[in-house]
């Protein structure tokens, strides 16, 4: 029996709609392939470009890159590997976190020989045994004006690597509290920057110093409050004067036989990070000829009647754990407790006290060597902690 005309018309219509749906699906697929896919690829590439730097594979033949790693001052964490060994997972995760803090991560074959004939381990002075110079078992820090520092802890977790590296890469900004500390963190260095400010340092001033310190890692910076301390023999603003802050730089004479103990140059103009960078760079380029030679080290001393900040609880606990002579109160006395000294005879105790008093007296002589550093200024907080400044100022050998 023949289908009614109405049914034939509906069937034909349904078939046409199905064909159109099929054609639309094909067009959508083509659109996704030729339009959406490239867009997604570009988005992915953009995401990868914005991600922190990967781990750099350092080669012994790329001496220009090695010069950057070891001599530019940029903070680097480098791990020893052999051949094409993959980076351990902890280092890979740590590298992303460190990159966000401005610290680069690299891996190199520490047993490979450089053009000079020395291995990487020999050239940078690694103490690890040859069997530990692969597999990421040896990690060292380079840059920030410091000597090569190996990671002593055997713990190779992401957290341990990051904590260790961040401490070594801390900005070199100090608040010395004695002449000995001033010499240790400033006068003994090739170049040192000083911000002489009136009262509590402003956020703007601190940001300027931090900005410069981040890009000039080999130069230490000192903050001096003119209401609490002064430097003798210099043309510095008095508290309340306008401008109240002044930036200056000290340079250690290269000639050890020179009668000059140091030399100084004053920055002129309004403070700004880029201006100070140019001031320091231009001075170095000109060989420090524009610096004024000084036959005596300017003496850092407290101003009578000024209130000195008390040590933080963190600093006090450190001193309790490791008793030492204090250089903060300016007195020739020891902070060591006499408890637990029953094993010493009275004569030995007297001799011990005499040695401590002599050591204290020497610490307050500006021309005496010392390993004491001042307060480290970290971010927006003032934190007192012991920092061993081991500068890498030796003559750079060829690789």
């Amino acid at each position: 029996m023949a289908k009614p005309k109405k049914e034939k018309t509906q069937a034909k219509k349904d078939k046409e709609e199905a064909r159109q749906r099929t054609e639309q699906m094909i067009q959508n697929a083509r659109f996704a392939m030729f339009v959406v896919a490239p867009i997604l690829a570009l988005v992915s590439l953009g995401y990868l470009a914005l991600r922190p730097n990967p781990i750099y594979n350092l080669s012994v033949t790329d001496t220009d890159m090695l010069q950057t790693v070891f001599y530019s001052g940029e903070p680097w964490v480098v791990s020893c590997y052999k051949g094409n060994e993959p980076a351990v997972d902890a280092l890979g995760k740590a590298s992303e976190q460190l990159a966000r803090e401005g610290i680069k991560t690299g891996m190199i074959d520490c047993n490979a020989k450089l053009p000079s004939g020395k291995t990487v381990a020999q050239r940078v002075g690694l103490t690890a045994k040859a069997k530990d110079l692969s597999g990421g078992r040896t990690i060292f820090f380079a840059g920030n004006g410091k000597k090569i520092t190996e990671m002593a802890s055997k713990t190779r977790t992401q957290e341990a690597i990051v904590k260790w590296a961040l401490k070594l890469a801390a900005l070199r900004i100090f608040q010395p509290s004695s002449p000995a500390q001033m010499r240790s963190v400033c006068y003994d260095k090739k170049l040192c920057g000083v911000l002489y400010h009136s009262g509590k340092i402003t956020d703007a001033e601190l940001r300027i110093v931090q900005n410069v310190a981040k890009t000039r890692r080999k130069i230490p910076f000192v903050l001096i409050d003119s209401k609490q301390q002064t430097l003798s023999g210099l043309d510095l603003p008095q508290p309340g004067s306008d401008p109240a802050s002044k930036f200056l730089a000290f340079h250690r004479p290269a000639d050890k036989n020179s009668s000059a103990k140091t030399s100084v140059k004053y920055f002129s103009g309004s403070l700004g990070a880029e201006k100070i960078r140019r001031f320091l760079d231009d001075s170095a380029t000109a060989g420090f000829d524009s610096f004024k030679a000084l036959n005596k080290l300017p003496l850092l001393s407290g101003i009578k009647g000024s209130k000195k900040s008390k040590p933080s609880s963190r600093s006090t606990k450190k001193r309790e754990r490791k008793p030492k002579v204090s250089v903060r109160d300016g007195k020739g006395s020891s902070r060591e407790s006499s408890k637990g000294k029953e094993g010493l005879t009275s004569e030995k105790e007297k001799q011990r006290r005499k040695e401590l008093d002599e050591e204290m007296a020497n610490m307050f002589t500006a021309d005496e060597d010392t390993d004491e550093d001042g307060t480290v200024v970290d971010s927006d907080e003032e934190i007192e902690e012991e920092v061993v400044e081991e500068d890498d100022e030796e003559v750079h050998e060829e690789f």
Side-chain angles (χ1 to χ4, degrees), residues 79-359:
S79 186
C80 292
Y81 284 83
K82 185 177 180 180
N84 294 320
E85 289 179 330
V88 295
D89 188 53
L91 184 68
K93 292 179 179 177
S95 68
E96 294 189 4
Q97 191 172 344
L98 291 174
R100 291 193 290 270
E101 301 295 333
I103 304 172
K104 295 179 181 178
T105 306
M107 45 196 295
I108 192 170
D109 187 346
C110 294
N111 283 311
K113 285 192 175 183
L114 296 158
S116 64
K118 293 182 179 180
T119 65
V120 173
Q122 292 171 335
R123 177 63 188 82
V124 300
L126 298 181
T127 60
K129 296 179 180 178
K131 64 182 181 66
D132 292 325
L133 296 177
S134 61
R137 288 186 291 273
T138 297
I139 299 176
F140 59 91
F141 180 89
N144 210 31
K146 298 179 182 294
K147 291 182 179 179
I148 299 296
T149 304
E150 294 178 58
M151 188 174 182
S153 172
K154 297 299 181 183
T155 305
R156 293 292 186 267
T157 63
Q158 174 188 352
E159 293 76 14
I161 294 171
V162 170
K163 183 179 179 180
W164 168 77
L166 288 179
K167 184 176 181 180
L168 289 170
L171 297 181
R172 301 169 70 196
I173 304 175
F174 305 95
Q175 289 180 309
S177 60
S178 72
Q181 291 178 0
M182 183 64 184
R183 174 166 182 170
S184 176
V185 301
C186 186
Y187 297 145
D188 283 348
K189 311 310 177 188
K190 181 178 180 180
L191 183 62
C192 167
V194 176
L195 179 64
Y196 196 74
H197 59 94
S198 179
K200 183 179 179 180
I201 188 169
T202 66
D203 291 341
E205 289 173 333
L206 183 55
R207 281 195 297 270
I208 288 173
V209 177
Q210 289 174 333
N211 191 315
V212 179
K214 285 179 182 178
T215 55
R216 299 297 180 270
R217 291 274 186 168
K218 301 178 81 171
I219 303 174
F221 294 86
V222 169
L223 306 179
I224 296 178
D225 181 355
S226 64
K227 290 186 176 180
Q228 295 190 14
Q229 297 171 306
T230 187
L231 288 172
S232 64
L234 297 176
D235 180 20
L236 296 172
Q238 297 299 314
S241 62
D242 186 24
S245 300
K246 195 175 189 71
F247 186 85
L248 55 152
F250 289 99
H251 166 61
R252 186 193 66 200
D255 184 4
K256 294 183 179 180
N257 297 320
S258 171
S259 59
K261 298 293 184 181
T262 187
S263 59
V264 64
K265 183 177 180 180
Y266 301 94
F267 170 83
S268 60
S270 58
L271 294 177
E274 186 56 37
K275 292 178 182 178
I276 291 177
R277 273 192 288 267
R278 284 201 301 268
F279 167 76
L280 295 170
D281 294 346
D282 292 346
S283 297
T285 302
F288 306 103
D289 291 339
S290 56
F291 279 57
K292 178 183 178 182
L294 301 175
N295 292 329
K296 290 184 179 180
L297 294 177
L299 188 67
L300 178 70
S301 58
I303 296 175
K304 190 175 182 181
S306 64
K307 294 181 180 180
K308 293 187 178 180
S309 59
K310 296 180 180 180
S312 65
S313 59
R314 176 181 174 185
S315 177
T316 304
K317 288 179 181 178
K318 277 198 171 185
R319 290 195 181 88
E320 289 173 353
R321 290 200 302 268
K322 185 179 179 182
K324 59 183 286 186
V325 177
S326 171
V327 297
R328 298 196 180 278
D329 55 8
K331 298 177 182 178
S333 61
S334 169
R335 292 217 180 209
E336 278 196 27
S337 170
S338 59
K339 293 180 180 181
K341 301 283 186 176
E342 292 83 4
L344 294 175
T345 64
S346 58
E347 285 299 320
K348 286 184 178 180
E349 179 66 16
K350 288 179 181 179
Q351 182 62 28
R352 169 72 172 159
R353 293 288 179 184
K354 183 179 178 181
E355 291 174 355
L356 289 174
D357 288 341
E358 289 176 353
E359 183 180 351

